[in-house]
C-alpha cells in the first residue's frame, strides 16, 4: 500500500468511459479500475493516449484523476499523463495531478511546435523543476512527430530529471539502446517500459522493466501472465501469451476506411470493454467516428476467439 | 468601429512579448498593438502560432486576450486562436475568447491524435455549434501533420460552419482549389487568407482576400502597402514590396543548428521588434533556445538592409 | 532549327504511348509529338515522370529517344530525363541521350539512398563532368524524398554545373528564392521552369521562364496561350487560361481508392489522349492499375467540359 | 554444395569494394567473400543496399555477380539484389542475375513512383512471372518510402510468387504479423529474414529464420555465433552476442553532420574492412562523402573495443 512511483510491471493506460452525452462515466470508470486491479496489474496510467486524453477538456481530466485516485486508494501507484504542447502548459496539468495524488507524471516531447533535441531536454528539465513527482518521458512519434533521442534520455536520467521512459515508438533498436545505455552508465533506477503491446516478450527479454499496454484494458490478466512468465524465466510461456494477444489485437483494425486508425482502435477497446460488461457505453469522444454494428460484431468475434466472452 | 469578423486585409498574428521571467509583458504588448495599428493593419490575430500559443498556459492566453481586446477597443476586429488538440478542448478556449470579446475564432484540424477527413469535419462542426462567433479554419500541416482537404472546407463553408480559412500550408494549388471552388459554389462570403508571407502577391492575384503574415509584426507597413497596391491593381508595386519582404524574411534563418526552426523564427521576430524599440525584451517562451549575440547581430543587419532601423 | 538547350517556354513532358503488349507504340508517339508541336510548344521533355520513365526498361528509353529525336529533327529542342538513383547510373543514361541527340539532360537528386546537400552537389557535379550537354536539376520531392536546397542550386549554377531547374516541388516560396537568388547573383542565364501546372501564371509572374506541364500533353494549345499571354503582359488572360486548365486538371483524380495517385494521373492523361484521337491505346505500364470504364467516362466528361472533344 | 535458395541462416549483404578510381576491386571482393565464408555464413546477398547497389552502374553490377558467383562456386547459395524502380526494369536485372547463376532474387516495392498495395502485388507477380528463380521481397521503407503490407506478402506467398522476405523495416510487430500469419496459413516454406541487425535475437525468438546483417561484413563470426546459439536454444548466449554487436554497431554513426547517414554507415563498414585487412581501399561510391581521418580513427576504436583488430 504505497504511492511510490512504479519501476516495473504491467501498467495499463486506463480507458476513459463516457456516457452517451460524452461526460465521464464515473461508475464505469471505477468498474474498469476494479477489472484491472482484479487482473493483477502493478499500476495504472490515467490520461494517456488510450485514455483519449487528447479529447478530454481539463474538467474531465480532473474528474478522471479524482475518481481513479480516490477509488484506488493506494492499492497500486497511479501515473498521470500531463499531455500538452510544451512545458509551460504541461506544468499546469502537473500541478493538478500532484494535488490529486498521482505517483508520477508522464509527458511527451513538445508538439505542435517544431522541436529540437536541445529543446526536448529543456522541456523535461522545466517540467521536473516544477514538480516533486517523478517524471516519465513518453516516446510517441506517431502523435508528436519527433523521436526522443536515446542520448538525451540517458543524459536526463543521469541528471535526475527523468525517472523513466514509456517507449511507444515501435523502434526496438532504439529501446535497446536506452536499455544498454543505462546499464553502461549505471542508471539502473531509470525505469524502462514498453508501450509496444505486441512485442512485450522481446522487450522484457532485452531488459525492459514493464509494459503499458492499451490492450491491457481488454485483457489485463493475459498481460500479467505474460509478465509473470517472463519474470520467472519461462520465456516460452511468455511468447505463447504474447502470440495469443497478438491475434486479439487484430480488433483494433475493425474500423473501415470511413474513420481514422485512432477511432478504430479506441472504439474497439471500448466496444470490447462494453461487450465484456465492464463499462456501460462504448461511446468515444468527439470528433472520433463511432464503430458501426458490423464492426462491433467483429470485435465480438475477436473476443470470442480469445475466450473473453 | 465594429466587431464584425474580418473578410479581407492584412491581419498579423500578434507576437506575445514576455518579460525576462517569462510572464506576459503587457506594456510591450500594447506597444506592439499600437505599432501594428499605426501600420494600418485591418485586423489582429492573437494566440496564433507566431504568438507562441503552443507555449502559453491558459492564464497567459487569457491575459493576452484581455490586454489586446481592451486596448484595441473595437478599432479593428481581433481574431483569437483557440489552438488545442480536439474540439472538446478547443471549445473551452472558445468560451474564454468570446467572453473577452473576440470577433472570430481560429482553429486547426485535430492534432496529437491521428485524424481523418470525416473527423476533421465533425471537429469543426462541434466547435461551431458551441459558439456564436464565426470560426476560421487554420491549415497548418507543419504543426498538425494533416492537410485540410479543399472539399471538406467548401462543404463546411456551404453548411455555414466555417466563415473562412487561414491557409499556411504552403500548397498554392490547394489554395487555388478553395478559391475557385468557392466561386463555383457561390460561397463568396467564405473569406480566404493566406499565411504564406512570401507569396502574398500571387495569393491575392489568385483571389485570396488577405494575409496573416508573421513577418507583419516586424514590418506591418510593408504588408499594408503590398495589400493596397494589389487592391488598386498595381501588381508590379505589389511584387516589388513582396520581393523586399522576401529578403527581409531571411532573418528567420539566423538561428544555427543548435536550435529548432521555430526557435530561430520566433526569436528573430522578437529580436527585430526589440531592436526596433517596440518591445522591451526579446525573450521567447520555454523550451525554445534563445538567439545568441551573433545571431541577433544578423537580425540587425537584415533590419538595416530593409531600412527598418 | 536549332539544338540549343531551351531557356524558356512551354516544354511538356511527353507521355510514352504503349501497345496493349506494353511495347512502345512508336506510331502513337510520333502522332503525340506532332500534336504537341502543332500546339506550339517550345521544346519537348522525354523520359520524365509523366513519360512513365520509372517503368521503362533501358531499351524502351532508347526507343523513345530515337523516335522522338528522329521525328522532331531539330524543330524544337528536346530534353531527356536521365532518371536513376545516383550519378554513376545517371551517367550511363546521359551517354545514351547524348548519342541520340538530346539538347539537354534532366536529373533528380539521388534517391533510394538517403542523401545530403553535400552529396546532392557532388552528384550533379559528377553528372555534368561526364557530359557535354547542359544539365537541368529536377526538383521532385514526391518521388525522391528530398528537396533541392536553393543555395545548392545557385552555387551549382554559379559554377556552371547546372543550366537550369525544373521545379516540381510545389514549394512556391522556394521557387521564388531561386528566382530572386539568381537575380541577386547575376545568374540570369540559369533557366527556371516550373512543373507545377496549376500555378503557372503566378510562377511566370514571379519570374520563372517557362513551364513543364504534364497536362500539356492533353491540351498543349492552352499552355501555350497561357505562356504567350503572360509574355505580352496580359496577366488577366493568363489567369483565365490557368483557371480553365485548373478545372481540366481534375481528371487526374478520377481513379478510385483501388489504385495509387500515379496510376490515376497517368491513366487519365493517356485516356484523354486516346479519347482525343492522338494515341491508339490508353495502356499504362506495369504495375500500374488501369482506369476502368466508369473512370474513363469521367475523363470524357472533363474533356467535354473543356471543349476538347 | 548446392544452389538451392536459402531458407535460413546468416546471409550478409556483401559490400562492394572499390578501387580509388571507383572501379570494382575484384581482388578485394574475393577476399571479402572468403572472409565471410570463413566466418561460417550460410549464404551471401550481393547487390543489396549495403553493397551500394544504388551507386553501381549495370556493368559494375554484372562484375560483382560474375566475381562472387565464380568464386563461391556453389559453396553457399548467393542471392542477388535486382533493385530498380518498377517490375519492367527489375526484370532486366533478373535476367542478368539468372545468367550469372544466382540462387534467388531480392526485389523491393516500386519506388520513385507513388505506389499502392495492388500495384505492389502486381509488381512482384510480374517479376516472378519473368524468372525461374525464387523471389524474395525486400521491405525497406527508408529507401522506397512504402511499407510492404503483411497481408499482401502472405497472399503472394500463398500464390507461390514469393519465396521469402527480407524485412529491414524496423517494424518488429509487422515482422511478427508475417511470422504468425505464415504459421496460421500453413506457409512455413516462406522464409523470413530480418535485416534489423540489432534485434536478431528477438527476431529469431519470434520465429524468423535468419538474418541479413550489414554489420556481418565486419564481424561475420559473431552473427554466426549468435545464430547458432539461438538454434541450439541458448538464448542468453545469443543475447550477449547481440549486445556486443549492438555496441560495435555504433561505428555507423562516426560520420559527422557534413554527410548523410548512408555515407557514414557504408563508409564505416568499408573503413572497418580496410582496417581489418580484408579490402584494399575504404573507397565508397560517388556521390557519398568519405569519412575523414578522425572519423576513421573512431572506427578503429570501435574495432579495438570489439577485439576485432
Amino acid at each position: 500500500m504505497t504511492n511510490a512511483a512504479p519501476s516495473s510491471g504491467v501498467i495499463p493506460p486506463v480507458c476513459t468511459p463516457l456516457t452517451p452525452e460524452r461526460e465521464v462515466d464515473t461508475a464505469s470508470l471505477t468498474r474498469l479500475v476494479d477489472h484491472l486491479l482484479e487482473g493483477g496489474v502493478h499500476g495504472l496510467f490515467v490520461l494517456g493516449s488510450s485514455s483519449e486524453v487528447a479529447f478530454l477538456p481539463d474538467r474531465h481530466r480532473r474528474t478522471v484523476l479524482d475518481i481513479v485516485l480516490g477509488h484506488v486508494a493506494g492499492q497500486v501507484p497511479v501515473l498521470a499523463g500531463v499531455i500538452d504542447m510544451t512545458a509551460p502548459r504541461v506544468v499546469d496539468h502537473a500541478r493538478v495531478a500532484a494535488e490529486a495524488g498521482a505517483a508520477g507524471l508522464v509527458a511527451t516531447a513538445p508538439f505542435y511546435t517544431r522541436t529540437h533535441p536541445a529543446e526536448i531536454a529543456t522541456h523535461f528539465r522545466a517540467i521536473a523543476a516544477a514538480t516533486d513527482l517523478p517524471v516519465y518521458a513518453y516516446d510517441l512519434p506517431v502523435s508528436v512527430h519527433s523521436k526522443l533521442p536515446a542520448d538525451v534520455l540517458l543524459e536526463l536520467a543521469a541528471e535526475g530529471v527523468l525517472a523513466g521512459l514509456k517507449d511507444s515508438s515501435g523502434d526496438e533498436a532504439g529501446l535497446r539502446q536506452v536499455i544498454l545505455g543505462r546499464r553502461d552508465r549505471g542508471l539502473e533506477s531509470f525505469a524502462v517500459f514498453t508501450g509496444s503491446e505486441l512485442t512485450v516478450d522481446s522487450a522484457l527479454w532485452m531488459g525492459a522493466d514493464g509494459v503499458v499496454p492499451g490492450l491491457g484494458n481488454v485483457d489485463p490478466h493475459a498481460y500479467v501472465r505474460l509478465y509473470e512468465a517472463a519474470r520467472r524465466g519461462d520465456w516460452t510461456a511468455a511468447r505463447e501469451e504474447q502470440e495469443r494477444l497478438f491475434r486479439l489485437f487484430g480488433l483494433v483494425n475493425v474500423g473501415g476506411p470511413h474513420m481514422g486508425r485512432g477511432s478504430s482502435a479506441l472504439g474497439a477497446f471500448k466496444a470490447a470493454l462494453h461487450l465484456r460488461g465492464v463499462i456501460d457505453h462504448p461511446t468515444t469522444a468527439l470528433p472520433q467516428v463511432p464503430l458501426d454494428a458490423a464492426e462491433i460484431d467483429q470485435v465480438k468475434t475477436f473476443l470470442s476467439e480469445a475466450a473473453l466472452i
Side-chain angles (χ1 to χ4, degrees), chain A:
Chain A
M1 195 143 337
T2 170
N3 199 26
S7 60
S8 65
V10 177
I11 306 182
V14 186
C15 284
T16 305
L18 299 177
T19 67
E21 298 75 27
R22 295 200 169 81
E23 292 296 320
V24 178
D25 177 350
T26 56
S28 290
L29 180 55
T30 55
R31 275 204 306 279
L32 174 54
V33 167
D34 288 337
H35 164 70
L36 297 171
L37 294 178
E38 192 271 328
V41 303
H42 307 88
L44 296 174
F45 170 35
V46 296
L47 303 180
S49 303
S50 295
S51 317
E52 296 174 270
V53 70
F55 304 91
L56 301 181
D58 284 352
R59 66 187 173 83
H60 282 183
R61 291 190 181 198
R62 190 181 292 259
T63 300
V64 167
L65 285 167
D66 289 344
I67 294 293
V68 172
L69 281 155
H71 190 69
V72 169
Q75 297 174 73
V76 296
V78 178
L79 298 177
V82 286
I83 308 302
D84 218 315
M85 293 170 247
T86 61
R89 293 185 60 79
V90 169
V91 164
D92 281 355
H93 298 293
R95 193 174 305 116
V96 174
E99 285 165 11
L105 307 174
V106 183
T108 68
F111 55 94
Y112 187 86
T113 180
R114 289 168 290 172
T115 195
H116 182 278
E119 295 170 14
I120 291 173
T122 300
H123 168 81
F124 282 116
R125 286 188 191 112
I127 296 168
T131 183
D132 293 330
L133 291 178
V135 177
Y136 295 75
Y138 189 175
D139 197 13
L140 191 65
V142 72
S143 286
V144 305
H145 302 278
S146 67
K147 171 92 182 83
L148 296 177
D151 58 345
V152 171
L153 289 170
L154 292 168
E155 175 57 28
L156 294 173
E159 290 178 18
V161 166
L162 290 179
L165 167 68
K166 183 204 165 186
D167 183 344
S168 296
S169 70
D171 174 359
E172 301 302 290
L175 175 68
R176 191 162 222 164
Q177 195 174 351
V178 174
I179 289 169
L180 295 184
R182 72 170 176 177
R183 193 189 302 166
D184 292 347
R185 299 179 62 163
L187 299 167
E188 297 290 357
S189 72
F190 181 73
V192 176
F193 293 88
T194 181
S196 297
E197 48 214 328
L198 303 179
T199 51
V200 180
D201 54 339
S202 62
L204 295 172
W205 171 255
M206 289 180 192
D209 303 300
V211 58
V212 184
L215 186 62
N217 282 279
V218 179
D219 194 356
H221 300 77
Y223 276 103
V224 171
R225 285 194 303 266
L226 194 175
Y227 176 76
E228 300 294 356
R231 280 309 85 148
R232 70 177 181 266
D234 187 350
W235 293 100
T236 301
R239 183 172 57 189
E240 279 169 11
E241 200 66 68
Q242 178 66 85
E243 292 179 352
R244 178 184 159 278
L245 285 163
F246 198 107
R247 290 182 171 88
L248 175 60
F249 191 75
L251 57 77
V252 306
N253 296 316
V254 301
H258 60 293
M259 67 179 67
R261 294 302 82 203
S263 290
S264 177
L266 294 175
F269 287 165
K270 285 189 154 179
L273 286 169
H274 183 235
L275 290 164
R276 294 200 72 190
V278 178
I279 67 174
D280 285 340
H281 313 283
T283 312
T284 51
L286 284 179
Q288 291 171 92
V289 176
L291 299 183
D292 63 27
E295 291 161 347
I296 288 178
D297 267 353
Q298 291 181 56
V299 173
K300 206 168 182 172
T301 303
F302 275 103
L303 292 177
S304 172
E305 286 173 356
L308 291 173
I309 54 172

